[in-house]
């Protein structure tokens, strides 16, 4: 293959290989390179007669591309990206576009953008969501960098993105690290959503006594209505998968210790920096941390007293708790809590946009999340409409239609949290969502006592309700 290729893909792991095949399927010519040669050979064989330059060296790879070059990097974050940039940079020219399409902290992306701009190289951070299948058939993509460079990438990105009736699931996010930041918040919401679904499963299984078959049917039904989403859909399927190595379902054989790669933690850290409350996401991160210490939990379970979750279904049955009503209550709690998770994430995007002057388009972000990505859900069309109707909306939950939605789900939401507490089932994210809702809707909070305490021990002052000014009281002569 001697002609110059439209775009290059560096890194042929699972995501790189599938995104490259997606590009080839859409009629674009491409050059591919991988640090180890075997994936390049395998990709060339899989691509068949499509216009692909399978390159053995960085020099060959960069020579094969049209100018200005457009290169997507899909390599491991951190050192992997640094090494790839170092290898590519001597062979790049002014005006070339280099895109990091992995997960990276937005501040690192901005540092790299500054460094590469000195050589005239236009650096992009682009969040890509959808996993292996999304990369292959159409992901949601969140690119950030120079606007003019995006316009040069757009003809390819809009073709390979997931295609929704509202348009391709890709859009320019903003300058600097805006693209990776939006993907980070996407992942934070994803953490919250996954934990909320896990807690719903826990309550239905241990209080409602639902079997895996009944859980599969319940989640499948939910996926036909307002809870329709990718995560609810795959959850329904997970309940049906048989254990290939034993009896029953595979789910019951999986160790109850979840892991994470950092984007949820980054979300919580930046929320603290911007003084934004995201208790649903923060609780989801905490839940993963707590779950990871399986040995510790087994040991502590034999020491600390409390209700036995294994007996929750029997207690519920003795109390005459109706399973059908419980399923409805859990559905309401999940829906309301998901709304809180999205509300917290969208508010964090709003505050970050103001602080960093990114001019993030919240309706557009909700639009491109409607397909291709992990948090795609029917609910996103309403979120898009809410911010399109009122771009200054300070909190998603204040959208008039969503206020009514939440009004009708109060009883079930509170019932689930209460029943779980009585049964000894932790609902960190569901409880945090309800507390968030109750906190923002409460006119007066007990923070007056905290201010009094702060003034007592540190002379930090306080304000009064009945007049302006910062005040200090000598509360006691002693300490």
């Amino acid at each position: 293959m001697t002609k110059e290729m439209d775009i290059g893909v560096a890194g042929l792991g699972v995501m790189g290989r599938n995104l490259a095949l997606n590009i080839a399927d859409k009629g674009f010519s491409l050059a591919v390179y991988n640090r180890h040669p075997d994936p390049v050979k395998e990709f060339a064989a899989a691509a068949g007669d499509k216009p692909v330059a399978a390159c053995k060296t960085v020099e060959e790879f960069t020579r094969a591309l049209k100018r200005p070059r457009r290169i997507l990097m899909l390599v491991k974050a951190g050192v992997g990206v640094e090494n790839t940039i170092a290898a590519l940079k001597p062979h790049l020219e002014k005006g070339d576009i280099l895109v990091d399409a992995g997960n990276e902290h937005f501040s690192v992306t901005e540092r790299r953008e500054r460094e590469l701009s000195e050589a005239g190289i236009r650096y992009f951070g682009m969040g890509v969501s959808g996993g292996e299948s999304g990369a292959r058939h159409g992901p949601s993509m969140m690119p950030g960098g120079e606007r003019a460079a995006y316009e040069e990438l757009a003809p390819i990105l809009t073709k390979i993105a997931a295609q929704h009736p509202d348009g391709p699931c890709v859009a320019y996010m903003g300058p600097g690290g805006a693209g990776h930041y939006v993907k980070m918040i996407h992942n934070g919401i994803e953490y919250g959503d996954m934990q909320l679904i896990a807690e719903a499963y826990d309550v239905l299984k241990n209080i409602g006594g639902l079997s895996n078959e009944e859980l599969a049917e319940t989640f499948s039904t939910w996926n036909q209505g307002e809870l329709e989403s990718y995560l609810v859909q795959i959850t329904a399927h997970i309940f049906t998968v048989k254990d290939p190595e034993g009896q029953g379902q595979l789910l019951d054989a999986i160790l109850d210790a979840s892991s994470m790669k950092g984007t949820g933690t980054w979300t919580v850290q930046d929320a603290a920096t911007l003084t934004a409350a995201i208790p649903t996401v923060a609780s989801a991160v905490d839940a993963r941390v707590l779950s990871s210490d399986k040995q510790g939990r087994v040991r502590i379970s034999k020491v600390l007293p409390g209700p036995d979750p294994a007996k929750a279904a029997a207690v519920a049955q003795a109390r005459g708790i109706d399973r059908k009503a419980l399923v409805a209550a859990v559905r309401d709690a999940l829906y309301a809590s998901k709304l809180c998770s999205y509300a917290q994430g969208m508010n964090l995007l709003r505050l970050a946009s103001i602080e960093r002057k990114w001019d993030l388009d919240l309706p557009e972000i909700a639009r491109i999340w409607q397909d291709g990505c992990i948090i795609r859900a029917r609910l996103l069309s309403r979120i898009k409409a809410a911010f399109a109707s009122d771009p200054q909306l300070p909190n998603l939950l204040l959208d008039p239609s969503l206020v009514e939605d939440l009004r009708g789900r109060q009883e079930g939401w509170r019932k689930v949290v209460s029943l779980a507490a009585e049964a000894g089932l932790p609902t960190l994210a569901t409880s945090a969502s309800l507390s968030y809702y109750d906190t923002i809707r409460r006119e007066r909070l007990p923070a007056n006592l905290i201010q009094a305490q702060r003034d007592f021990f540190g002379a930090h002052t306080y304000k009064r309700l009945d007049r302006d000014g910062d005040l200090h009281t000598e509360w006691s002569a002693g300490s």
Side-chain angles (χ1 to χ4, degrees), residues 59-91:
E59 293 87 347
E60 183 183 353
F61 176 64
T62 53
R63 282 200 310 267
L65 295 169
K66 292 178 183 176
R67 275 62 163 177
R69 299 174 178 88
R70 294 175 288 191
I71 298 173
L72 301 183
M73 296 185 297
L74 288 113
V75 296
K76 190 174 181 179
V79 174
V81 176
E82 294 289 351
N83 289 341
T84 303
I85 292 173
L88 288 170
K89 187 178 177 181
H91 308 283

Side-chain angles (χ1 to χ4, degrees), residues 66-139:
K66 292 178 183 176
R67 275 62 163 177
R69 299 174 178 88
R70 294 175 288 191
I71 298 173
L72 301 183
M73 296 185 297
L74 288 113
V75 296
K76 190 174 181 179
V79 174
V81 176
E82 294 289 351
N83 289 341
T84 303
I85 292 173
L88 288 170
K89 187 178 177 181
H91 308 283
L92 299 181
E93 301 168 357
K94 184 176 180 179
D96 288 348
I97 303 170
L98 188 57
V99 182
D100 177 5
N103 284 329
E104 184 59 90
H105 196 278
F106 72 97
S107 65
V108 175
T109 300
E110 294 188 331
R111 189 250 309 159
R112 291 173 180 153
E113 181 191 42
R114 290 191 298 270
E115 292 172 352
L116 289 168
S117 67
E118 294 176 3
I121 299 166
R122 297 176 288 176
Y123 190 74
F124 255 72
M126 183 172 74
V128 179
S129 179
E132 178 180 353
S133 177
R136 182 68 182 86
H137 303 291

Side-chain angles (χ1 to χ4, degrees), residues 202-209 309 312-314 316-317 321 326 416 419-420 423 425:
D202 199 18
V203 170
L204 291 174
K205 177 181 178 180
N206 288 294
I207 297 180
Q317 188 175 13
I321 294 175
L326 178 64
V416 167
L419 287 173
L425 299 179

